[in-house]
Amino acid sequence: MKRLLLLLTVFAGATVFQSCEGDRGPAGPAGPDSLVYELFNVDFTLSNGEYVINRQWVDLIGGDLYDEETILIYRLTDTFNSNGETVPVWQLIPRTLFLDEGELDYDFDFSKKDFFIYAGGTFDVATTPEFINDQTFRIVVIPGYFANRRAVDVNDYNAVIEAYGIDDSNVKRIN
């Protein structure tokens, strides 16, 4: 008798939970086309004694960043050939390069409205145009819902893309 009662209880519970379905709610807002943006072959401009690149989020993603979002910026430092394929080498900024002329620093800051990338050094950076002209940067937007993800080595671009499940095959390229 106990087995029959248990079986009927399980059957009734399964029936009740299976029928808990309602109307679908409205679709949420569309997400961004990409979480990876590339500033391709851009030049720093001299502004108030600093070399800067400034972009507005509205021009890249059509609006502001959410308060919970953060970004990582990588600079293209080199490429190499692997099995006939050109493979980029990305380096996280901020970064200090030690050159014969002195130290060259790349840094950035951002708000929900815009971001700045800076280049400066212990020498006149204009004397090394190869470090301030025709530069390529990848900006990776990390959505707030990834905040509690496991630790990831942010110095490794590919590790970041993999850990956060970001599709970087759809990089939005901006000149």
Side-chain angles (χ1 to χ4, degrees), residues 44-80:
F44 284 85
T45 57
L46 187 60
S47 175
N48 297 324
E50 292 183 299
Y51 285 93
V52 297
I53 296 170
N54 174 239
R55 292 294 190 272
Q56 305 293 312
W57 287 116
V58 70
D59 297 334
L60 268 71
I61 62 176
D64 297 343
L65 284 183
Y66 293 112
D67 289 336
E68 302 82 21
E69 291 179 318
T70 190
I71 67 169
L72 298 170
I73 299 182
Y74 297 85
R75 179 177 161 266
L76 180 66
T77 60
D78 200 0
T79 59
F80 65 92

PDB file of all heavy atoms in Angstrom, residues 44-80:
ATOM      1  N   PHE A  44      47.463  58.164 -32.444  1.00  0.00           N
ATOM      2  CA  PHE A  44      47.278  58.989 -31.260  1.00  0.00           C
ATOM      3  C   PHE A  44      47.342  60.444 -31.710  1.00  0.00           C
ATOM      4  O   PHE A  44      48.059  60.786 -32.658  1.00  0.00           O
ATOM      5  CB  PHE A  44      48.395  58.728 -30.241  1.00  0.00           C
ATOM      6  CG  PHE A  44      48.239  57.442 -29.484  1.00  0.00           C
ATOM      7  CD1 PHE A  44      48.712  56.251 -30.008  1.00  0.00           C
ATOM      8  CD2 PHE A  44      47.613  57.425 -28.243  1.00  0.00           C
ATOM      9  CE1 PHE A  44      48.581  55.067 -29.305  1.00  0.00           C
ATOM     10  CE2 PHE A  44      47.475  56.245 -27.536  1.00  0.00           C
ATOM     11  CZ  PHE A  44      47.961  55.063 -28.068  1.00  0.00           C
ATOM     12  N   THR A  45      46.599  61.320 -31.056  1.00  0.00           N
ATOM     13  CA  THR A  45      46.681  62.749 -31.327  1.00  0.00           C
ATOM     14  C   THR A  45      47.181  63.443 -30.065  1.00  0.00           C
ATOM     15  O   THR A  45      46.901  63.011 -28.949  1.00  0.00           O
ATOM     16  CB  THR A  45      45.311  63.328 -31.738  1.00  0.00           C
ATOM     17  OG1 THR A  45      44.359  63.048 -30.717  1.00  0.00           O
ATOM     18  CG2 THR A  45      44.841  62.727 -33.048  1.00  0.00           C
ATOM     19  N   LEU A  46      47.903  64.509 -30.271  1.00  0.00           N
ATOM     20  CA  LEU A  46      48.439  65.284 -29.155  1.00  0.00           C
ATOM     21  C   LEU A  46      47.346  66.219 -28.651  1.00  0.00           C
ATOM     22  O   LEU A  46      46.802  67.023 -29.396  1.00  0.00           O
ATOM     23  CB  LEU A  46      49.671  66.076 -29.590  1.00  0.00           C
ATOM     24  CG  LEU A  46      50.439  66.794 -28.500  1.00  0.00           C
ATOM     25  CD1 LEU A  46      50.961  65.806 -27.456  1.00  0.00           C
ATOM     26  CD2 LEU A  46      51.611  67.570 -29.098  1.00  0.00           C
ATOM     27  N   SER A  47      47.004  66.079 -27.370  1.00  0.00           N
ATOM     28  CA  SER A  47      45.968  66.897 -26.761  1.00  0.00           C
ATOM     29  C   SER A  47      46.403  67.269 -25.354  1.00  0.00           C
ATOM     30  O   SER A  47      46.581  66.380 -24.505  1.00  0.00           O
ATOM     31  CB  SER A  47      44.643  66.120 -26.724  1.00  0.00           C
ATOM     32  OG  SER A  47      43.658  66.846 -26.046  1.00  0.00           O
ATOM     33  N   ASN A  48      46.559  68.561 -25.109  1.00  0.00           N
ATOM     34  CA  ASN A  48      46.993  69.054 -23.792  1.00  0.00           C
ATOM     35  C   ASN A  48      48.268  68.371 -23.308  1.00  0.00           C
ATOM     36  O   ASN A  48      48.388  67.981 -22.154  1.00  0.00           O
ATOM     37  CB  ASN A  48      45.883  68.893 -22.743  1.00  0.00           C
ATOM     38  CG  ASN A  48      44.665  69.720 -23.072  1.00  0.00           C
ATOM     39  OD1 ASN A  48      44.774  70.825 -23.598  1.00  0.00           O
ATOM     40  ND2 ASN A  48      43.491  69.177 -22.784  1.00  0.00           N
ATOM     41  N   GLY A  49      49.201  68.182 -24.225  1.00  0.00           N
ATOM     42  CA  GLY A  49      50.494  67.604 -23.866  1.00  0.00           C
ATOM     43  C   GLY A  49      50.507  66.092 -23.751  1.00  0.00           C
ATOM     44  O   GLY A  49      51.526  65.504 -23.393  1.00  0.00           O
ATOM     45  N   GLU A  50      49.378  65.419 -24.033  1.00  0.00           N
ATOM     46  CA  GLU A  50      49.305  63.961 -23.965  1.00  0.00           C
ATOM     47  C   GLU A  50      48.896  63.397 -25.319  1.00  0.00           C
ATOM     48  O   GLU A  50      48.102  64.001 -26.036  1.00  0.00           O
ATOM     49  CB  GLU A  50      48.258  63.510 -22.944  1.00  0.00           C
ATOM     50  CG  GLU A  50      48.566  63.791 -21.514  1.00  0.00           C
ATOM     51  CD  GLU A  50      47.499  63.223 -20.609  1.00  0.00           C
ATOM     52  OE1 GLU A  50      46.331  63.633 -20.736  1.00  0.00           O
ATOM     53  OE2 GLU A  50      47.848  62.353 -19.802  1.00  0.00           O
ATOM     54  N   TYR A  51      49.424  62.239 -25.637  1.00  0.00           N
ATOM     55  CA  TYR A  51      48.988  61.527 -26.833  1.00  0.00           C
ATOM     56  C   TYR A  51      47.806  60.648 -26.446  1.00  0.00           C
ATOM     57  O   TYR A  51      47.915  59.815 -25.539  1.00  0.00           O
ATOM     58  CB  TYR A  51      50.131  60.696 -27.420  1.00  0.00           C
ATOM     59  CG  TYR A  51      51.146  61.560 -28.121  1.00  0.00           C
ATOM     60  CD1 TYR A  51      52.259  62.029 -27.449  1.00  0.00           C
ATOM     61  CD2 TYR A  51      50.949  61.937 -29.442  1.00  0.00           C
ATOM     62  CE1 TYR A  51      53.185  62.843 -28.089  1.00  0.00           C
ATOM     63  CE2 TYR A  51      51.860  62.759 -30.099  1.00  0.00           C
ATOM     64  CZ  TYR A  51      52.973  63.205 -29.408  1.00  0.00           C
ATOM     65  OH  TYR A  51      53.868  64.026 -30.043  1.00  0.00           O
ATOM     66  N   VAL A  52      46.671  60.843 -27.113  1.00  0.00           N
ATOM     67  CA  VAL A  52      45.444  60.142 -26.742  1.00  0.00           C
ATOM     68  C   VAL A  52      44.691  59.641 -27.965  1.00  0.00           C
ATOM     69  O   VAL A  52      44.816  60.171 -29.067  1.00  0.00           O
ATOM     70  CB  VAL A  52      44.477  61.032 -25.914  1.00  0.00           C
ATOM     71  CG1 VAL A  52      45.098  61.444 -24.603  1.00  0.00           C
ATOM     72  CG2 VAL A  52      44.014  62.229 -26.705  1.00  0.00           C
ATOM     73  N   ILE A  53      43.902  58.625 -27.717  1.00  0.00           N
ATOM     74  CA  ILE A  53      42.858  58.161 -28.624  1.00  0.00           C
ATOM     75  C   ILE A  53      41.589  58.191 -27.788  1.00  0.00           C
ATOM     76  O   ILE A  53      41.556  57.649 -26.682  1.00  0.00           O
ATOM     77  CB  ILE A  53      43.125  56.727 -29.124  1.00  0.00           C
ATOM     78  CG1 ILE A  53      44.395  56.679 -29.968  1.00  0.00           C
ATOM     79  CG2 ILE A  53      41.921  56.195 -29.906  1.00  0.00           C
ATOM     80  CD1 ILE A  53      44.851  55.263 -30.302  1.00  0.00           C
ATOM     81  N   ASN A  54      40.549  58.849 -28.287  1.00  0.00           N
ATOM     82  CA  ASN A  54      39.286  58.953 -27.553  1.00  0.00           C
ATOM     83  C   ASN A  54      38.156  58.470 -28.438  1.00  0.00           C
ATOM     84  O   ASN A  54      38.073  58.838 -29.599  1.00  0.00           O
ATOM     85  CB  ASN A  54      39.045  60.401 -27.112  1.00  0.00           C
ATOM     86  CG  ASN A  54      37.666  60.580 -26.479  1.00  0.00           C
ATOM     87  OD1 ASN A  54      36.863  61.365 -26.944  1.00  0.00           O
ATOM     88  ND2 ASN A  54      37.400  59.841 -25.425  1.00  0.00           N
ATOM     89  N   ARG A  55      37.299  57.625 -27.881  1.00  0.00           N
ATOM     90  CA  ARG A  55      36.116  57.160 -28.606  1.00  0.00           C
ATOM     91  C   ARG A  55      34.916  57.191 -27.677  1.00  0.00           C
ATOM     92  O   ARG A  55      35.013  56.918 -26.491  1.00  0.00           O
ATOM     93  CB  ARG A  55      36.304  55.722 -29.114  1.00  0.00           C
ATOM     94  CG  ARG A  55      37.344  55.574 -30.208  1.00  0.00           C
ATOM     95  CD  ARG A  55      36.917  56.287 -31.488  1.00  0.00           C
ATOM     96  NE  ARG A  55      37.770  55.979 -32.604  1.00  0.00           N
ATOM     97  CZ  ARG A  55      38.881  56.631 -32.919  1.00  0.00           C
ATOM     98  NH1 ARG A  55      39.280  57.632 -32.184  1.00  0.00           N
ATOM     99  NH2 ARG A  55      39.592  56.291 -33.965  1.00  0.00           N
ATOM    100  N   GLN A  56      33.770  57.464 -28.266  1.00  0.00           N
ATOM    101  CA  GLN A  56      32.490  57.458 -27.554  1.00  0.00           C
ATOM    102  C   GLN A  56      31.857  56.082 -27.744  1.00  0.00           C
ATOM    103  O   GLN A  56      31.871  55.528 -28.846  1.00  0.00           O
ATOM    104  CB  GLN A  56      31.553  58.533 -28.125  1.00  0.00           C
ATOM    105  CG  GLN A  56      32.132  59.928 -28.131  1.00  0.00           C
ATOM    106  CD  GLN A  56      32.321  60.462 -26.734  1.00  0.00           C
ATOM    107  OE1 GLN A  56      31.418  60.385 -25.918  1.00  0.00           O
ATOM    108  NE2 GLN A  56      33.508  60.979 -26.458  1.00  0.00           N
ATOM    109  N   TRP A  57      31.284  55.534 -26.672  1.00  0.00           N
ATOM    110  CA  TRP A  57      30.637  54.225 -26.779  1.00  0.00           C
ATOM    111  C   TRP A  57      29.474  54.256 -27.751  1.00  0.00           C
ATOM    112  O   TRP A  57      29.223  53.276 -28.462  1.00  0.00           O
ATOM    113  CB  TRP A  57      30.164  53.738 -25.410  1.00  0.00           C
ATOM    114  CG  TRP A  57      31.286  53.314 -24.541  1.00  0.00           C
ATOM    115  CD1 TRP A  57      31.675  53.889 -23.367  1.00  0.00           C
ATOM    116  CD2 TRP A  57      32.194  52.237 -24.762  1.00  0.00           C
ATOM    117  NE1 TRP A  57      32.772  53.240 -22.858  1.00  0.00           N
ATOM    118  CE2 TRP A  57      33.108  52.223 -23.700  1.00  0.00           C
ATOM    119  CE3 TRP A  57      32.331  51.284 -25.763  1.00  0.00           C
ATOM    120  CZ2 TRP A  57      34.137  51.281 -23.607  1.00  0.00           C
ATOM    121  CZ3 TRP A  57      33.346  50.356 -25.671  1.00  0.00           C
ATOM    122  CH2 TRP A  57      34.230  50.354 -24.604  1.00  0.00           C
ATOM    123  N   VAL A  58      28.757  55.351 -27.796  1.00  0.00           N
ATOM    124  CA  VAL A  58      27.597  55.425 -28.678  1.00  0.00           C
ATOM    125  C   VAL A  58      28.017  55.176 -30.132  1.00  0.00           C
ATOM    126  O   VAL A  58      27.268  54.581 -30.907  1.00  0.00           O
ATOM    127  CB  VAL A  58      26.836  56.763 -28.513  1.00  0.00           C
ATOM    128  CG1 VAL A  58      27.623  57.942 -29.070  1.00  0.00           C
ATOM    129  CG2 VAL A  58      25.456  56.683 -29.140  1.00  0.00           C
ATOM    130  N   ASP A  59      29.231  55.582 -30.503  1.00  0.00           N
ATOM    131  CA  ASP A  59      29.716  55.359 -31.861  1.00  0.00           C
ATOM    132  C   ASP A  59      30.096  53.897 -32.110  1.00  0.00           C
ATOM    133  O   ASP A  59      30.087  53.438 -33.247  1.00  0.00           O
ATOM    134  CB  ASP A  59      30.935  56.244 -32.153  1.00  0.00           C
ATOM    135  CG  ASP A  59      30.601  57.728 -32.098  1.00  0.00           C
ATOM    136  OD1 ASP A  59      29.429  58.091 -32.334  1.00  0.00           O
ATOM    137  OD2 ASP A  59      31.510  58.527 -31.817  1.00  0.00           O
ATOM    138  N   LEU A  60      30.447  53.180 -31.054  1.00  0.00           N
ATOM    139  CA  LEU A  60      30.860  51.785 -31.204  1.00  0.00           C
ATOM    140  C   LEU A  60      29.694  50.824 -31.016  1.00  0.00           C
ATOM    141  O   LEU A  60      29.485  49.929 -31.827  1.00  0.00           O
ATOM    142  CB  LEU A  60      31.953  51.434 -30.178  1.00  0.00           C
ATOM    143  CG  LEU A  60      33.384  51.607 -30.626  1.00  0.00           C
ATOM    144  CD1 LEU A  60      33.752  53.065 -30.751  1.00  0.00           C
ATOM    145  CD2 LEU A  60      34.307  50.917 -29.649  1.00  0.00           C
ATOM    146  N   ILE A  61      28.962  50.991 -29.913  1.00  0.00           N
ATOM    147  CA  ILE A  61      27.937  50.006 -29.563  1.00  0.00           C
ATOM    148  C   ILE A  61      26.522  50.561 -29.608  1.00  0.00           C
ATOM    149  O   ILE A  61      25.575  49.878 -29.268  1.00  0.00           O
ATOM    150  CB  ILE A  61      28.220  49.380 -28.181  1.00  0.00           C
ATOM    151  CG1 ILE A  61      28.190  50.423 -27.066  1.00  0.00           C
ATOM    152  CG2 ILE A  61      29.534  48.645 -28.176  1.00  0.00           C
ATOM    153  CD1 ILE A  61      28.369  49.832 -25.667  1.00  0.00           C
ATOM    154  N   GLY A  62      26.392  51.821 -29.998  1.00  0.00           N
ATOM    155  CA  GLY A  62      25.064  52.402 -30.149  1.00  0.00           C
ATOM    156  C   GLY A  62      24.468  52.958 -28.874  1.00  0.00           C
ATOM    157  O   GLY A  62      23.310  53.334 -28.852  1.00  0.00           O
ATOM    158  N   GLY A  63      25.222  52.998 -27.806  1.00  0.00           N
ATOM    159  CA  GLY A  63      24.723  53.510 -26.530  1.00  0.00           C
ATOM    160  C   GLY A  63      25.825  53.503 -25.498  1.00  0.00           C
ATOM    161  O   GLY A  63      26.994  53.308 -25.826  1.00  0.00           O
ATOM    162  N   ASP A  64      25.454  53.699 -24.250  1.00  0.00           N
ATOM    163  CA  ASP A  64      26.422  53.714 -23.162  1.00  0.00           C
ATOM    164  C   ASP A  64      26.687  52.302 -22.658  1.00  0.00           C
ATOM    165  O   ASP A  64      25.868  51.403 -22.835  1.00  0.00           O
ATOM    166  CB  ASP A  64      25.892  54.548 -21.985  1.00  0.00           C
ATOM    167  CG  ASP A  64      25.695  56.008 -22.346  1.00  0.00           C
ATOM    168  OD1 ASP A  64      26.240  56.455 -23.371  1.00  0.00           O
ATOM    169  OD2 ASP A  64      24.987  56.707 -21.591  1.00  0.00           O
ATOM    170  N   LEU A  65      27.822  52.137 -21.991  1.00  0.00           N
ATOM    171  CA  LEU A  65      28.068  50.895 -21.259  1.00  0.00           C
ATOM    172  C   LEU A  65      27.134  50.856 -20.059  1.00  0.00           C
ATOM    173  O   LEU A  65      26.754  51.894 -19.521  1.00  0.00           O
ATOM    174  CB  LEU A  65      29.498  50.857 -20.712  1.00  0.00           C
ATOM    175  CG  LEU A  65      30.649  50.562 -21.649  1.00  0.00           C
ATOM    176  CD1 LEU A  65      31.954  50.503 -20.863  1.00  0.00           C
ATOM    177  CD2 LEU A  65      30.452  49.264 -22.408  1.00  0.00           C
ATOM    178  N   TYR A  66      26.772  49.667 -19.624  1.00  0.00           N
ATOM    179  CA  TYR A  66      26.034  49.533 -18.376  1.00  0.00           C
ATOM    180  C   TYR A  66      27.009  49.724 -17.219  1.00  0.00           C
ATOM    181  O   TYR A  66      28.212  49.496 -17.348  1.00  0.00           O
ATOM    182  CB  TYR A  66      25.372  48.158 -18.273  1.00  0.00           C
ATOM    183  CG  TYR A  66      24.265  47.964 -19.286  1.00  0.00           C
ATOM    184  CD1 TYR A  66      24.402  47.053 -20.316  1.00  0.00           C
ATOM    185  CD2 TYR A  66      23.085  48.691 -19.205  1.00  0.00           C
ATOM    186  CE1 TYR A  66      23.387  46.876 -21.253  1.00  0.00           C
ATOM    187  CE2 TYR A  66      22.078  48.520 -20.122  1.00  0.00           C
ATOM    188  CZ  TYR A  66      22.233  47.611 -21.145  1.00  0.00           C
ATOM    189  OH  TYR A  66      21.235  47.438 -22.058  1.00  0.00           O
ATOM    190  N   ASP A  67      26.481  50.141 -16.079  1.00  0.00           N
ATOM    191  CA  ASP A  67      27.329  50.391 -14.910  1.00  0.00           C
ATOM    192  C   ASP A  67      28.146  49.167 -14.515  1.00  0.00           C
ATOM    193  O   ASP A  67      29.259  49.294 -14.032  1.00  0.00           O
ATOM    194  CB  ASP A  67      26.489  50.844 -13.712  1.00  0.00           C
ATOM    195  CG  ASP A  67      25.929  52.243 -13.896  1.00  0.00           C
ATOM    196  OD1 ASP A  67      26.521  53.025 -14.665  1.00  0.00           O
ATOM    197  OD2 ASP A  67      24.898  52.552 -13.272  1.00  0.00           O
ATOM    198  N   GLU A  68      27.624  47.978 -14.701  1.00  0.00           N
ATOM    199  CA  GLU A  68      28.290  46.755 -14.264  1.00  0.00           C
ATOM    200  C   GLU A  68      29.362  46.284 -15.234  1.00  0.00           C
ATOM    201  O   GLU A  68      30.139  45.389 -14.916  1.00  0.00           O
ATOM    202  CB  GLU A  68      27.266  45.626 -14.087  1.00  0.00           C
ATOM    203  CG  GLU A  68      26.162  45.929 -13.109  1.00  0.00           C
ATOM    204  CD  GLU A  68      25.038  46.763 -13.722  1.00  0.00           C
ATOM    205  OE1 GLU A  68      24.884  46.789 -14.959  1.00  0.00           O
ATOM    206  OE2 GLU A  68      24.321  47.419 -12.952  1.00  0.00           O
ATOM    207  N   GLU A  69      29.384  46.816 -16.435  1.00  0.00           N
ATOM    208  CA  GLU A  69      30.329  46.347 -17.443  1.00  0.00           C
ATOM    209  C   GLU A  69      31.711  46.932 -17.212  1.00  0.00           C
ATOM    210  O   GLU A  69      31.859  48.032 -16.683  1.00  0.00           O
ATOM    211  CB  GLU A  69      29.832  46.709 -18.842  1.00  0.00           C
ATOM    212  CG  GLU A  69      28.602  45.931 -19.234  1.00  0.00           C
ATOM    213  CD  GLU A  69      28.072  46.290 -20.599  1.00  0.00           C
ATOM    214  OE1 GLU A  69      28.035  47.493 -20.938  1.00  0.00           O
ATOM    215  OE2 GLU A  69      27.679  45.366 -21.316  1.00  0.00           O
ATOM    216  N   THR A  70      32.698  46.178 -17.640  1.00  0.00           N
ATOM    217  CA  THR A  70      34.075  46.645 -17.594  1.00  0.00           C
ATOM    218  C   THR A  70      34.712  46.343 -18.941  1.00  0.00           C
ATOM    219  O   THR A  70      34.123  45.633 -19.766  1.00  0.00           O
ATOM    220  CB  THR A  70      34.856  45.993 -16.435  1.00  0.00           C
ATOM    221  OG1 THR A  70      36.117  46.650 -16.286  1.00  0.00           O
ATOM    222  CG2 THR A  70      35.083  44.506 -16.670  1.00  0.00           C
ATOM    223  N   ILE A  71      35.894  46.877 -19.162  1.00  0.00           N
ATOM    224  CA  ILE A  71      36.567  46.609 -20.429  1.00  0.00           C
ATOM    225  C   ILE A  71      38.020  46.229 -20.179  1.00  0.00           C
ATOM    226  O   ILE A  71      38.609  46.571 -19.155  1.00  0.00           O
ATOM    227  CB  ILE A  71      36.498  47.806 -21.401  1.00  0.00           C
ATOM    228  CG1 ILE A  71      37.298  49.004 -20.888  1.00  0.00           C
ATOM    229  CG2 ILE A  71      35.075  48.187 -21.705  1.00  0.00           C
ATOM    230  CD1 ILE A  71      37.486  50.116 -21.922  1.00  0.00           C
ATOM    231  N   LEU A  72      38.555  45.521 -21.143  1.00  0.00           N
ATOM    232  CA  LEU A  72      39.983  45.235 -21.218  1.00  0.00           C
ATOM    233  C   LEU A  72      40.434  45.719 -22.585  1.00  0.00           C
ATOM    234  O   LEU A  72      39.699  45.593 -23.574  1.00  0.00           O
ATOM    235  CB  LEU A  72      40.253  43.740 -21.089  1.00  0.00           C
ATOM    236  CG  LEU A  72      39.830  43.089 -19.774  1.00  0.00           C
ATOM    237  CD1 LEU A  72      39.933  41.567 -19.882  1.00  0.00           C
ATOM    238  CD2 LEU A  72      40.685  43.601 -18.637  1.00  0.00           C
ATOM    239  N   ILE A  73      41.633  46.300 -22.657  1.00  0.00           N
ATOM    240  CA  ILE A  73      42.152  46.772 -23.933  1.00  0.00           C
ATOM    241  C   ILE A  73      43.498  46.108 -24.188  1.00  0.00           C
ATOM    242  O   ILE A  73      44.370  46.075 -23.319  1.00  0.00           O
ATOM    243  CB  ILE A  73      42.287  48.305 -23.971  1.00  0.00           C
ATOM    244  CG1 ILE A  73      40.914  48.961 -23.779  1.00  0.00           C
ATOM    245  CG2 ILE A  73      42.918  48.760 -25.298  1.00  0.00           C
ATOM    246  CD1 ILE A  73      40.924  50.479 -23.855  1.00  0.00           C
ATOM    247  N   TYR A  74      43.635  45.585 -25.410  1.00  0.00           N
ATOM    248  CA  TYR A  74      44.851  44.914 -25.842  1.00  0.00           C
ATOM    249  C   TYR A  74      45.420  45.648 -27.053  1.00  0.00           C
ATOM    250  O   TYR A  74      44.677  46.085 -27.923  1.00  0.00           O
ATOM    251  CB  TYR A  74      44.554  43.465 -26.234  1.00  0.00           C
ATOM    252  CG  TYR A  74      44.050  42.636 -25.082  1.00  0.00           C
ATOM    253  CD1 TYR A  74      42.705  42.621 -24.744  1.00  0.00           C
ATOM    254  CD2 TYR A  74      44.928  41.868 -24.321  1.00  0.00           C
ATOM    255  CE1 TYR A  74      42.236  41.865 -23.677  1.00  0.00           C
ATOM    256  CE2 TYR A  74      44.468  41.108 -23.255  1.00  0.00           C
ATOM    257  CZ  TYR A  74      43.133  41.118 -22.939  1.00  0.00           C
ATOM    258  OH  TYR A  74      42.683  40.379 -21.884  1.00  0.00           O
ATOM    259  N   ARG A  75      46.739  45.744 -27.114  1.00  0.00           N
ATOM    260  CA  ARG A  75      47.429  46.379 -28.240  1.00  0.00           C
ATOM    261  C   ARG A  75      48.067  45.295 -29.098  1.00  0.00           C
ATOM    262  O   ARG A  75      48.681  44.360 -28.581  1.00  0.00           O
ATOM    263  CB  ARG A  75      48.511  47.324 -27.718  1.00  0.00           C
ATOM    264  CG  ARG A  75      49.289  48.016 -28.798  1.00  0.00           C
ATOM    265  CD  ARG A  75      50.311  49.002 -28.177  1.00  0.00           C
ATOM    266  NE  ARG A  75      51.323  49.328 -29.141  1.00  0.00           N
ATOM    267  CZ  ARG A  75      52.492  48.704 -29.255  1.00  0.00           C
ATOM    268  NH1 ARG A  75      52.818  47.744 -28.427  1.00  0.00           N
ATOM    269  NH2 ARG A  75      53.339  49.053 -30.193  1.00  0.00           N
ATOM    270  N   LEU A  76      47.905  45.407 -30.402  1.00  0.00           N
ATOM    271  CA  LEU A  76      48.543  44.481 -31.332  1.00  0.00           C
ATOM    272  C   LEU A  76      50.032  44.796 -31.370  1.00  0.00           C
ATOM    273  O   LEU A  76      50.431  45.892 -31.761  1.00  0.00           O
ATOM    274  CB  LEU A  76      47.942  44.610 -32.727  1.00  0.00           C
ATOM    275  CG  LEU A  76      48.516  43.690 -33.796  1.00  0.00           C
ATOM    276  CD1 LEU A  76      48.195  42.226 -33.481  1.00  0.00           C
ATOM    277  CD2 LEU A  76      47.975  44.069 -35.169  1.00  0.00           C
ATOM    278  N   THR A  77      50.850  43.845 -30.922  1.00  0.00           N
ATOM    279  CA  THR A  77      52.296  44.098 -30.853  1.00  0.00           C
ATOM    280  C   THR A  77      53.074  43.407 -31.952  1.00  0.00           C
ATOM    281  O   THR A  77      54.193  43.810 -32.266  1.00  0.00           O
ATOM    282  CB  THR A  77      52.872  43.640 -29.498  1.00  0.00           C
ATOM    283  OG1 THR A  77      52.654  42.245 -29.336  1.00  0.00           O
ATOM    284  CG2 THR A  77      52.243  44.415 -28.357  1.00  0.00           C
ATOM    285  N   ASP A  78      52.485  42.365 -32.535  1.00  0.00           N
ATOM    286  CA  ASP A  78      53.218  41.589 -33.536  1.00  0.00           C
ATOM    287  C   ASP A  78      52.246  40.622 -34.195  1.00  0.00           C
ATOM    288  O   ASP A  78      51.103  40.461 -33.743  1.00  0.00           O
ATOM    289  CB  ASP A  78      54.349  40.812 -32.853  1.00  0.00           C
ATOM    290  CG  ASP A  78      55.455  40.376 -33.823  1.00  0.00           C
ATOM    291  OD1 ASP A  78      55.350  40.683 -35.030  1.00  0.00           O
ATOM    292  OD2 ASP A  78      56.416  39.737 -33.358  1.00  0.00           O
ATOM    293  N   THR A  79      52.691  39.978 -35.234  1.00  0.00           N
ATOM    294  CA  THR A  79      51.984  38.856 -35.840  1.00  0.00           C
ATOM    295  C   THR A  79      53.028  37.805 -36.196  1.00  0.00           C
ATOM    296  O   THR A  79      54.204  38.120 -36.350  1.00  0.00           O
ATOM    297  CB  THR A  79      51.214  39.251 -37.118  1.00  0.00           C
ATOM    298  OG1 THR A  79      52.135  39.789 -38.066  1.00  0.00           O
ATOM    299  CG2 THR A  79      50.118  40.249 -36.825  1.00  0.00           C
ATOM    300  N   PHE A  80      52.592  36.579 -36.293  1.00  0.00           N
ATOM    301  CA  PHE A  80      53.490  35.532 -36.785  1.00  0.00           C
ATOM    302  C   PHE A  80      52.696  34.577 -37.646  1.00  0.00           C
ATOM    303  O   PHE A  80      51.468  34.554 -37.618  1.00  0.00           O
ATOM    304  CB  PHE A  80      54.201  34.799 -35.625  1.00  0.00           C
ATOM    305  CG  PHE A  80      53.293  34.012 -34.724  1.00  0.00           C
ATOM    306  CD1 PHE A  80      53.034  32.668 -34.966  1.00  0.00           C
ATOM    307  CD2 PHE A  80      52.700  34.611 -33.615  1.00  0.00           C
ATOM    308  CE1 PHE A  80      52.206  31.941 -34.134  1.00  0.00           C
ATOM    309  CE2 PHE A  80      51.870  33.884 -32.777  1.00  0.00           C
ATOM    310  CZ  PHE A  80      51.616  32.546 -33.041  1.00  0.00           C
TER     311      PHE A  80
END
